[in-house]
Amino acid sequence: MKWLLTVLKQSYKPAVYISRVSSGRADVVVGSNPELVRAVGSQVEVRTGFISEEEEAALLRELEPSLKRKRYEFDHWDDAIHGYRETERVQWGAACEEILSRVRSVAFADGSSLLGPVHVLDLDKAGYIKPHVDSVKFCGSTIAGLSLLSDSIMRLVRVDAPSEWLDLLLPRRSLYILRDKARYDFTHEILKDEESVFNGQRVNRERRISVICRNLPG
Ligand code: OGA
Ligand code: MN
């Protein structure tokens, strides 16, 4: 699904972390300044414990066979994603379909048109996703992703002001949703294990599988 991504060749290493104090969400969202966290924070959701261990296992049972037939790709220096294999799926078993319909019902408005295939991205422990904005031609205003097997950190960096950023802690079995400005005006990336520090706290990045639902451009 390379066509989904537009890589932006920028990298910004934040030095200071300021968390949103009053929201009760500082445990999963921090940013370069409180106003930004307040303003863009409404277009970012992280729902911890969105799926149970049993549901995670059901997704893995369904996904592992097709993923295991592929090799992780490391070699393309210009790729947005490093150390990954991926698949996409239209038809799911009943247990997984139930999970996905829950994702759709919290992330997308009734009646919105979704990208048919669900995107499944398997990052090796050494894999990571560089800063990019998903294709505006092929994807709509909302991106919703389940994280399996590992905690990880998603970093958002404002395209026209790279000193403005948000870090999202994506715990294993959580759902994240990026909407509108968070999706269009910021790059997103998944940090590599060595750089995986959230709000001063080291977060181990293991192999991680994401299951991503998108809508179509309006
Ligand atoms: C992507 C992407 C994030 C994730 O594939 O465009 O940003 O959670 N993935 O894997
Ligand atoms: Mn993306």
Side-chain angles (χ1 to χ4, degrees), residues 25-44:
R25 289 204 323 167
D27 51 339
V28 286
V29 182
V30 297
S32 50
N33 65 76
E35 292 72 37
L36 182 74
V37 178
R38 238 185 330 271
V40 183
S42 65
Q43 289 154 22
V44 161

Side-chain angles (χ1 to χ4, degrees), residues 29-132:
V29 182
V30 297
S32 50
N33 65 76
E35 292 72 37
L36 182 74
V37 178
R38 238 185 330 271
V40 183
S42 65
Q43 289 154 22
V44 161
E45 268 186 71
V46 179
R47 299 196 178 205
T48 56
F50 189 79
I51 58 171
S52 66
E53 289 180 27
E54 292 72 25
E55 289 172 323
E56 178 186 45
L59 288 165
L60 292 170
R61 265 197 308 278
E62 188 153 340
L63 293 172
E64 285 281 29
S66 55
L67 289 171
K68 285 211 165 113
R69 285 197 291 272
K70 301 179 178 181
R71 283 186 313 129
Y72 287 107
E73 304 198 28
F74 283 96
D75 312 327
H76 312 293
W77 59 272
D78 58 338
D79 270 4
I81 313 180
H82 189 83
Y84 72 103
R85 50 193 182 184
E86 65 185 340
T87 185
E88 49 182 64
R89 186 164 287 239
V90 180
Q91 293 286 343
W92 296 77
C96 296
E97 192 52 53
E98 202 273 326
I99 299 164
L100 289 167
S101 72
R102 233 165 61 223
V103 171
R104 293 182 189 112
S105 72
V106 303
F108 304 100
D110 280 348
S112 55
S113 324
L114 305 187
L115 203 66
V118 174
H119 180 195
V120 178
L121 184 64
D122 178 351
L123 278 185
D124 181 74
K125 178 169 173 65
Y128 58 96
I129 306 180
K130 296 179 197 169
H132 68 276

Side-chain angles (χ1 to χ4, degrees), residues 161-172:
S163 63
E164 298 194 13
W165 56 269
L166 297 175
D167 276 357
L168 317 182
L169 176 62
L170 307 181
R172 180 178 184 178

Side-chain angles (χ1 to χ4, degrees), residues 5 132-134 143 188 214:
L5 314 183
H132 68 276
V133 175
D134 284 22
I143 303 166
H188 56 274
R214 297 177 170 95

Side-chain angles (χ1 to χ4, degrees), residues 7 19 29 33 80 88 104 155 159 161 171 173 183 192 200:
V7 190
S19 53
V29 182
N33 65 76
E88 49 182 64
R104 293 182 189 112
R155 176 164 297 158
V159 173
R173 294 188 291 276
R183 176 261 186 272
K192 55 176 85 162

